[in-house]
Amino acid sequence: MKRTEVQGVAKIHVVMNRKGGVGKSLISLNMGAVCADVRGPRPDGQPHVAVASADPQGTALWRAARLAEQPFDILDISDDVENIALLKRLPYAHVFVDTPGWAEIDPASGRSPLGEDKYGRILRALLEQADDVIVPMMTEVDCYEATWQTIEWVLKPLGVPFQVVINNWAPAEGVAYVEGTRGWCEKHGYPVAQTVIRRYRVHTNATKVVTQYNNNRVELQAREDFYRFALEHGLRGAESRLPAQAGADTEAVQA
Protein backbone atom coordinates (compact mmCIF):
# COMPACT_ATOMS: atom_id res chain seq x y z
CA MET A 1 0.00 0.00 0.00
CA LYS A 2 1.39 3.39 -0.97
CA ARG A 3 0.86 6.55 1.01
CA THR A 4 -1.72 8.92 -0.47
CA GLU A 5 -1.84 12.68 0.03
CA VAL A 6 -5.08 13.94 1.53
CA GLN A 7 -6.03 17.57 1.21
CA GLY A 8 -7.23 19.15 4.42
CA VAL A 9 -6.56 21.64 7.16
CA ALA A 10 -5.59 19.67 10.27
CA LYS A 11 -2.07 18.31 10.69
CA ILE A 12 -2.26 14.70 11.88
CA HIS A 13 0.49 13.53 14.23
CA VAL A 14 0.27 9.80 14.97
CA VAL A 15 2.08 8.45 18.05
CA MET A 16 2.97 4.83 17.31
CA ASN A 17 5.10 1.90 18.43
CA ARG A 18 3.94 -1.71 18.35
CA LYS A 19 5.38 -2.14 21.85
CA GLY A 20 3.07 -1.21 24.70
CA GLY A 21 4.15 0.80 27.72
CA VAL A 22 6.51 3.20 25.92
CA GLY A 23 4.45 6.31 26.72
CA LYS A 24 2.25 6.81 23.66
CA SER A 25 -0.69 8.17 25.67
CA LEU A 26 1.51 10.43 27.79
CA ILE A 27 3.16 11.93 24.71
CA SER A 28 -0.13 12.33 22.82
CA LEU A 29 -1.77 14.22 25.67
CA ASN A 30 1.18 16.41 26.58
CA MET A 31 2.10 17.28 23.01
CA GLY A 32 -1.56 18.17 22.48
CA ALA A 33 -1.47 20.37 25.58
CA VAL A 34 1.74 22.15 24.55
CA CYS A 35 0.44 22.72 21.03
CA ALA A 36 -2.85 24.09 22.40
CA ASP A 37 -0.90 26.41 24.69
CA VAL A 38 1.27 27.67 21.84
CA ARG A 39 -1.63 28.17 19.41
CA GLY A 40 -4.15 29.54 21.89
CA PRO A 41 -7.91 29.25 21.29
CA ARG A 42 -9.78 30.04 18.08
CA PRO A 43 -11.73 33.30 17.89
CA ASP A 44 -14.83 31.37 18.96
CA GLY A 45 -13.02 30.22 22.11
CA GLN A 46 -12.72 26.59 20.99
CA PRO A 47 -9.32 24.86 20.93
CA HIS A 48 -7.13 24.64 17.85
CA VAL A 49 -6.00 21.16 18.92
CA ALA A 50 -7.55 17.73 19.46
CA VAL A 51 -6.20 14.50 20.94
CA ALA A 52 -7.73 11.41 19.34
CA SER A 53 -7.64 7.93 20.84
CA ALA A 54 -7.46 4.95 18.48
CA ASP A 55 -6.53 2.67 21.39
CA PRO A 56 -9.28 0.26 22.50
CA GLN A 57 -7.84 0.37 26.02
CA GLY A 58 -8.67 4.08 26.07
CA THR A 59 -5.77 5.23 28.27
CA ALA A 60 -5.74 8.73 26.79
CA LEU A 61 -9.52 8.97 27.20
CA TRP A 62 -9.26 7.84 30.82
CA ARG A 63 -6.60 10.41 31.62
CA ALA A 64 -8.32 13.22 29.72
CA ALA A 65 -11.57 12.58 31.60
CA ARG A 66 -9.72 13.15 34.89
CA LEU A 67 -8.15 16.48 33.95
CA ALA A 68 -9.45 19.39 35.95
CA GLU A 69 -9.43 21.35 32.70
CA GLN A 70 -9.01 20.02 29.17
CA PRO A 71 -6.94 22.37 26.98
CA PHE A 72 -7.84 20.39 23.85
CA ASP A 73 -10.80 18.48 22.45
CA ILE A 74 -10.72 14.72 22.97
CA LEU A 75 -11.98 12.31 20.29
CA ASP A 76 -12.63 8.57 20.52
CA ILE A 77 -11.91 7.04 17.10
CA SER A 78 -11.20 3.50 18.31
CA ASP A 79 -14.34 2.11 16.69
CA ASP A 80 -14.63 4.38 13.67
CA VAL A 81 -12.73 3.09 10.64
CA GLU A 82 -15.14 4.71 8.19
CA ASN A 83 -14.68 8.30 9.42
CA ILE A 84 -10.91 8.37 9.95
CA ALA A 85 -10.58 9.71 6.40
CA LEU A 86 -12.35 12.86 7.63
CA LEU A 87 -9.81 13.68 10.36
CA LYS A 88 -7.93 16.23 8.28
CA ARG A 89 -11.16 18.04 7.54
CA LEU A 90 -11.97 18.66 11.21
CA PRO A 91 -11.70 22.29 12.40
CA TYR A 92 -8.33 21.90 14.15
CA ALA A 93 -4.79 22.99 13.36
CA HIS A 94 -3.34 19.81 14.89
CA VAL A 95 -4.62 16.38 15.93
CA PHE A 96 -2.40 14.08 18.01
CA VAL A 97 -3.45 10.43 17.78
CA ASP A 98 -2.76 7.85 20.49
CA THR A 99 -2.58 4.32 19.07
CA PRO A 100 -2.54 0.77 20.47
CA GLY A 101 0.29 -1.70 20.24
CA TRP A 102 -0.33 -4.67 17.98
CA ALA A 103 0.84 -8.27 17.73
CA GLU A 104 0.06 -9.39 14.18
CA ILE A 105 3.44 -9.67 12.46
CA ASP A 106 3.89 -11.75 9.30
CA PRO A 107 6.30 -9.97 6.93
CA ALA A 108 7.09 -13.13 4.92
CA SER A 109 3.49 -13.63 3.79
CA GLY A 110 3.16 -10.29 2.04
CA ARG A 111 0.14 -9.42 4.17
CA SER A 112 0.01 -6.19 6.09
CA PRO A 113 1.96 -6.49 9.35
CA LEU A 114 -0.83 -4.45 10.93
CA GLY A 115 -3.23 -7.34 10.51
CA GLU A 116 -6.66 -7.49 8.94
CA ASP A 117 -8.71 -6.94 12.10
CA LYS A 118 -10.51 -3.69 12.87
CA TYR A 119 -7.55 -2.10 14.64
CA GLY A 120 -5.17 -3.00 11.86
CA ARG A 121 -7.50 -1.26 9.43
CA ILE A 122 -7.77 1.75 11.76
CA LEU A 123 -3.98 2.06 11.97
CA ARG A 124 -3.57 1.82 8.20
CA ALA A 125 -6.29 4.44 7.68
CA LEU A 126 -4.56 6.74 10.18
CA LEU A 127 -1.21 6.38 8.48
CA GLU A 128 -2.77 7.34 5.15
CA GLN A 129 -3.81 10.62 6.82
CA ALA A 130 -0.67 11.18 8.90
CA ASP A 131 1.59 14.17 8.32
CA ASP A 132 4.15 12.53 10.57
CA VAL A 133 4.60 9.80 13.16
CA ILE A 134 6.21 10.15 16.58
CA VAL A 135 7.83 6.86 17.61
CA PRO A 136 8.52 6.80 21.36
CA MET A 137 10.99 4.27 22.72
CA MET A 138 12.73 3.72 26.03
CA THR A 139 16.39 3.06 26.74
CA GLU A 140 15.75 -0.66 27.08
CA VAL A 141 16.94 -3.39 24.74
CA ASP A 142 13.50 -5.01 24.56
CA CYS A 143 12.21 -1.82 22.87
CA TYR A 144 14.65 -2.12 19.98
CA GLU A 145 13.03 -4.97 18.06
CA ALA A 146 9.50 -3.57 18.31
CA THR A 147 10.72 -0.14 17.23
CA TRP A 148 12.59 -1.67 14.28
CA GLN A 149 9.45 -3.60 13.25
CA THR A 150 7.30 -0.47 13.51
CA ILE A 151 9.63 1.50 11.27
CA GLU A 152 10.82 -1.14 8.80
CA TRP A 153 7.60 -3.10 8.33
CA VAL A 154 5.08 -0.27 8.55
CA LEU A 155 6.32 3.31 8.34
CA LYS A 156 9.02 2.99 5.68
CA PRO A 157 6.89 0.92 3.27
CA LEU A 158 4.09 3.49 3.58
CA GLY A 159 6.47 6.42 3.17
CA VAL A 160 5.30 8.20 6.33
CA PRO A 161 7.74 10.77 7.82
CA PHE A 162 8.70 9.80 11.37
CA GLN A 163 10.88 10.79 14.30
CA VAL A 164 11.99 8.62 17.22
CA VAL A 165 11.94 10.19 20.68
CA ILE A 166 13.59 8.62 23.73
CA ASN A 167 11.05 8.61 26.55
CA ASN A 168 10.94 7.84 30.27
CA TRP A 169 14.70 8.08 30.84
CA ALA A 170 15.82 8.17 34.47
CA PRO A 171 18.93 10.42 34.62
CA ALA A 172 20.21 8.52 37.67
CA GLU A 173 20.81 5.56 35.38
CA GLY A 174 23.42 7.57 33.46
CA VAL A 175 23.72 8.99 29.97
CA ALA A 176 25.23 5.76 28.60
CA TYR A 177 21.71 4.37 28.19
CA VAL A 178 20.66 7.38 26.13
CA GLU A 179 23.84 7.29 24.07
CA GLY A 180 23.39 3.58 23.37
CA THR A 181 19.78 4.02 22.28
CA ARG A 182 20.58 7.08 20.18
CA GLY A 183 23.50 5.22 18.60
CA TRP A 184 21.23 2.29 17.73
CA CYS A 185 18.80 4.71 16.00
CA GLU A 186 21.58 6.45 14.11
CA LYS A 187 23.09 3.13 13.03
CA HIS A 188 19.75 2.28 11.39
CA GLY A 189 19.38 5.75 9.89
CA TYR A 190 16.37 6.66 12.02
CA PRO A 191 15.85 10.37 12.79
CA VAL A 192 15.92 10.72 16.56
CA ALA A 193 15.05 13.80 18.59
CA GLN A 194 17.81 15.55 20.50
CA THR A 195 15.32 16.12 23.30
CA VAL A 196 15.04 13.23 25.74
CA ILE A 197 11.84 13.04 27.80
CA ARG A 198 12.94 12.36 31.34
CA ARG A 199 11.09 10.30 33.94
CA TYR A 200 9.23 12.34 36.54
CA ARG A 201 6.75 11.25 39.19
CA VAL A 202 4.53 14.21 38.28
CA HIS A 203 3.89 12.68 34.84
CA THR A 204 1.88 9.93 36.56
CA ASN A 205 -0.59 12.51 37.93
CA ALA A 206 -3.70 11.83 35.85
CA THR A 207 -5.31 15.17 36.82
CA LYS A 208 -2.77 17.37 34.98
CA VAL A 209 -0.95 17.77 31.69
CA VAL A 210 2.42 19.54 31.54
CA THR A 211 0.94 22.98 30.80
CA GLN A 212 -0.89 22.75 34.15
CA TYR A 213 2.15 21.84 36.27
CA ASN A 214 3.18 24.03 39.19
CA ASN A 215 6.07 26.49 38.95
CA ASN A 216 8.44 24.66 41.25
CA ARG A 217 11.84 23.50 40.02
CA VAL A 218 11.01 19.84 39.36
CA GLU A 219 7.71 20.46 37.60
CA LEU A 220 9.29 23.20 35.47
CA GLN A 221 11.92 20.70 34.37
CA ALA A 222 9.25 18.11 33.56
CA ARG A 223 7.39 20.70 31.50
CA GLU A 224 10.56 21.78 29.71
CA ASP A 225 11.11 18.42 28.01
CA PHE A 226 7.80 18.58 26.16
CA TYR A 227 8.24 22.19 25.06
CA ARG A 228 11.70 21.38 23.74
CA PHE A 229 10.40 18.35 21.89
CA ALA A 230 7.56 20.45 20.49
CA LEU A 231 10.16 22.88 19.15
CA GLU A 232 12.04 20.05 17.48
CA HIS A 233 8.82 18.74 16.03
CA GLY A 234 8.03 22.05 14.39
CA LEU A 235 5.49 23.65 16.71
CA ARG A 236 6.73 27.23 16.37
CA GLY A 237 6.30 29.52 19.34
CA ALA A 238 7.07 26.88 21.97
CA GLU A 239 10.39 28.59 22.78
CA SER A 240 8.53 31.56 24.27
CA ARG A 241 6.89 29.24 26.82
CA LEU A 242 10.07 27.50 28.02
CA PRO A 243 10.79 28.17 31.72
CA ALA A 244 14.05 30.12 31.82
CA GLN A 245 15.43 28.38 34.88
CA ALA A 246 14.49 24.82 33.97
CA GLY A 247 17.36 24.04 31.64
CA ALA A 248 20.02 24.68 34.25
CA ASP A 249 19.18 21.62 36.36
CA THR A 250 18.63 18.07 35.11
CA GLU A 251 17.58 16.39 38.35
CA ALA A 252 14.53 14.18 37.92
CA VAL A 253 12.23 12.59 40.44
CA GLN A 254 12.25 8.83 39.86
CA ALA A 255 9.01 6.94 39.35
Side-chain angles (χ1 to χ4, degrees), residues 105-161:
I105 296 294
D106 187 16
S109 71
R111 296 177 60 193
S112 168
L114 293 176
E116 300 301 328
D117 63 355
K118 177 174 66 177
Y119 296 112
R121 289 184 286 120
I122 284 176
L123 289 173
R124 287 197 301 276
L126 281 170
L127 292 173
E128 287 188 329
Q129 308 292 310
D131 290 277
D132 57 72
V133 174
I134 298 168
V135 184
M137 70 178 298
M138 297 188 293
T139 58
E140 299 174 2
V141 173
D142 66 353
C143 282
Y144 290 9
E145 183 69 12
T147 301
W148 184 90
Q149 291 167 349
T150 302
I151 294 170
E152 297 292 338
W153 292 351
V154 180
L155 302 182
K156 280 189 173 182
L158 296 179
V160 188

Side-chain angles (χ1 to χ4, degrees), residues 4 20 22 25 28 32-33 36 46-47 63 75 91 119 121-122 139 148 154-155 177 184-185 195 197 199 246-247:
T4 56
V22 294
S25 299
S28 300
Q46 298 303 307
R63 288 182 66 102
L75 311 173
Y119 296 112
R121 289 184 286 120
I122 284 176
T139 58
W148 184 90
V154 180
L155 302 182
Y177 287 92
W184 178 86
C185 290
T195 301
I197 299 174
R199 180 187 302 170

Side-chain angles (χ1 to χ4, degrees), residues 166-243:
I166 297 171
N167 184 47
N168 201 32
W169 170 58
E173 295 177 351
V175 296
Y177 287 92
V178 170
E179 291 171 350
T181 304
R182 190 184 303 282
W184 178 86
C185 290
E186 292 172 350
K187 176 183 176 181
H188 287 82
Y190 302 157
V192 56
Q194 288 300 308
T195 301
V196 175
I197 299 174
R198 296 166 287 183
R199 180 187 302 170
Y200 289 91
R201 173 67 69 179
V202 69
H203 287 328
T204 66
N205 183 348
T207 65
K208 292 182 179 180
V209 285
V210 292
T211 54
Q212 300 163 343
Y213 286 0
N214 296 317
N215 289 328
N216 58 57
R217 177 177 56 83
V218 170
E219 294 191 33
L220 285 172
Q221 290 168 198
R223 184 189 306 168
E224 176 191 24
D225 291 347
F226 280 95
Y227 277 95
R228 290 194 181 280
F229 180 52
L231 273 174
E232 279 198 66
H233 213 68
L235 303 182
R236 296 180 182 275
E239 71 276 6
S240 65
R241 310 301 178 99
L242 277 169

